[in-house]
Amino acid sequence: MNQLPQQTTSQPTRQHPRVAADFAVRLFDGSSSVLARARDLSMAGLSVHDPAGMIGLRIDRVSLHIPGEPWELVLRVRLTRRVGETVAVAFSDIDWDDMFTLARYLSPRL
């Protein structure tokens, strides 16, 4: 009988590589917002440092000013996990311009 290979690590397999990030982001929960610091970024989402536990469960947008870009990206997101002081969100409904902006930042850092 064939068995599926056992995963040797507890980390899920990532579809998009992540790169370290260290810039401010603003996360929105309806009409309120929280300022946080990005820890890492990928084409699919980002994680932020939230030591005070200020980021709520109903985050729906993130605003980030990627270094070297002339404008802020405002992207729809959904909260995917919270582990300790780290909160991860996944991007949703990314348009082509935003995708290219992310790619310009990520590509030289991979």
Side-chain angles (χ1 to χ4, degrees):
M1 172 161 68
N2 292 339
Q3 290 185 334
L4 295 174
Q6 297 295 315
Q7 191 171 359
T8 58
T9 64
S10 61
Q11 291 289 350
T13 303
R14 297 210 180 274
Q15 207 172 8
H16 299 282
R18 292 181 175 263
V19 300
D22 185 25
F23 50 83
V25 298
R26 185 168 294 279
L27 296 121
F28 295 89
D29 177 0
S31 61
S32 64
S33 68
V34 174
L35 192 60
R37 199 96 194 138
R39 294 182 66 129
D40 62 46
L41 177 68
S42 79
M43 291 297 291
L46 82 142
S47 67
V48 297
H49 190 62
D50 182 30
M54 298 293 295
I55 299 173
L57 298 177
R58 295 175 23 154
I59 296 300
D60 61 358
R61 287 170 291 134
V62 64
S63 171
L64 51 132
H65 187 255
I66 294 178
E69 293 295 330
W71 58 81
E72 281 188 295
L73 292 179
V74 178
L75 303 170
R76 293 178 55 138
V77 296
R78 64 180 170 73
L79 182 71
T80 56
R81 73 182 170 282
R82 175 188 292 276
V83 177
E85 295 181 347
T86 302
V87 174
V89 296
F91 302 137
S92 57
D93 301 328
I94 298 179
D95 67 25
W96 285 105
D97 290 333
D98 294 340
M99 196 177 311
F100 287 132
T101 301
L102 289 171
R104 274 192 303 273
Y105 179 80
L106 295 168
S107 178
R109 292 166 175 80
L110 292 175

